[in-house]
Amino acid sequence: MDVDVILLGPPGAGKGTQAQRLVDAHGMRQLSTGDMLRAAVKAGTPVGVAAKAVMDRGELVSDEIVSALIGEELDALAPGQGAIFDGYPRTAAQAETLDRILADRQRTLAHVIELEVNEDALVERICGRYTCATCGKGYHDKYEQPKVPGTCDKCGGHEFKRRPDDNEDTVRTRMTEYRAKTAPILPIYEARGIVARVDGMADIEHVTAAIERIIAS
Ligand code: AMP
């Protein structure tokens, strides 16, 4: 699928889960600035060192840092491969930069898909989530446990991890950042007629089906 789409929604809305499904179904590439930053923190790069404390507080890392990461990843796409922007752009400045980055590469944004969710339910969703340390498959204490306890369904791994910023205080800050800085970028895309809304509280399969209909349109 050679379209570029943005998945927009507060933390825990399901952007990462849905992006992964588009990757599996269509060979698109998930470009998650959160994942890129976590990799930089783990590797101890200068970007990671600068970003860690900001991420632990749930605040936003500088526009320059994330935009540079996105540019590099776009250049690594295969010809004709579509990108799913997950967690980027998060500010009006990032949205402007993304326009420039895409135009420089003769790419256009086909859809901005907003996952609409009830924020109170999200805290529970986020605070219970964890992933396989080997393949990254997502799980949840209450909603999706591995079929065999302690063994990843996808790769058979036995180690799991939780994000340090998935605690209630940090989640509340991340929500506030979303409301203050990210939600206000929607009108930019609404003016272009490319925003579609999906009920992010529906079950995972329904959300995927709705997104599939949008990107096929
Ligand atoms: P996420 O995995 O998208 O929830 O992002 C985790 C954290 O990484 C955020 O709370 C921010 O501190 C940082 N981050 C991720 N993407 C961005 C972005 N586009 N702009 C600024 N900070 C970001």
Side-chain angles (χ1 to χ4, degrees):
M1 187 82 65
D2 64 353
V3 295
D4 289 343
V5 299
I6 295 176
L7 292 182
L8 206 71
K15 303 184 296 291
T17 301
Q18 295 299 333
Q20 201 51 57
R21 290 178 151 232
L22 293 175
V23 168
D24 291 345
H26 301 293
M28 296 171 77
R29 176 86 165 265
Q30 175 187 13
L31 299 185
S32 156
T33 41
D35 285 351
M36 294 171 203
L37 289 166
R38 280 183 288 280
V41 169
K42 196 169 168 203
T45 65
V47 163
V49 171
K52 180 164 185 351
V54 180
M55 293 172 76
D56 285 346
R57 288 196 301 273
E59 295 167 9
L60 294 185
V61 172
S62 79
D63 292 337
E64 292 71 26
I65 287 184
V66 290
S67 297
L69 291 171
I70 281 284
E72 284 166 24
E73 291 287 323
L74 271 177
D75 289 334
L77 292 185
Q81 190 177 27
I84 311 147
F85 297 98
D86 159 11
Y88 181 91
R90 255 177 158 99
T91 63
Q94 289 179 22
E96 262 178 47
T97 306
L98 179 61
D99 280 342
R100 217 175 39 245
I101 290 175
L102 290 174
D104 284 349
R105 292 161 177 80
Q106 283 85 46
R107 306 182 75 101
T108 43
L109 208 47
H111 305 282
V112 176
I113 302 174
E114 187 194 12
L115 299 175
E116 294 185 299
V117 284
N118 162 352
E119 281 193 21
D120 289 332
L122 292 188
V123 177
E124 186 191 61
R125 242 197 216 186
I126 294 181
C127 294
R129 71 184 181 180
Y130 62 99
T131 55
C132 169
T134 310
C135 73
K137 172 159 175 35
Y139 293 97
H140 193 280
D141 292 328
K142 199 161 155 191
Y143 306 115
E144 195 186 356
Q145 292 276 25
K147 292 190 183 68
V148 178
T151 303
C152 175
D153 297 347
K154 193 167 171 184
C155 76
H158 295 295
E159 255 186 73
F160 298 88
K161 59 181 185 185
R162 286 173 198 267
R163 284 170 46 170
D165 58 347
D166 279 351
N167 62 78
E168 186 160 351
D169 278 355
T170 306
V171 170
R172 298 269 178 213
T173 306
R174 287 158 63 199
M175 301 274 184
T176 307
E177 290 281 67
Y178 179 81
R179 252 181 271 121
K181 298 178 185 163
T182 309
I185 70 180
L186 266 164
I188 301 174
Y189 297 119
E190 259 158 7
R192 296 183 204 167
I194 56 170
V195 175
R197 295 194 163 76
V198 168
D199 174 11
M201 300 311 289
D203 67 47
I204 292 177
E205 301 296 337
H206 280 96
V207 178
T208 304
I211 292 175
E212 290 283 357
R213 280 194 295 275
I214 293 163
I215 64 172
S217 66

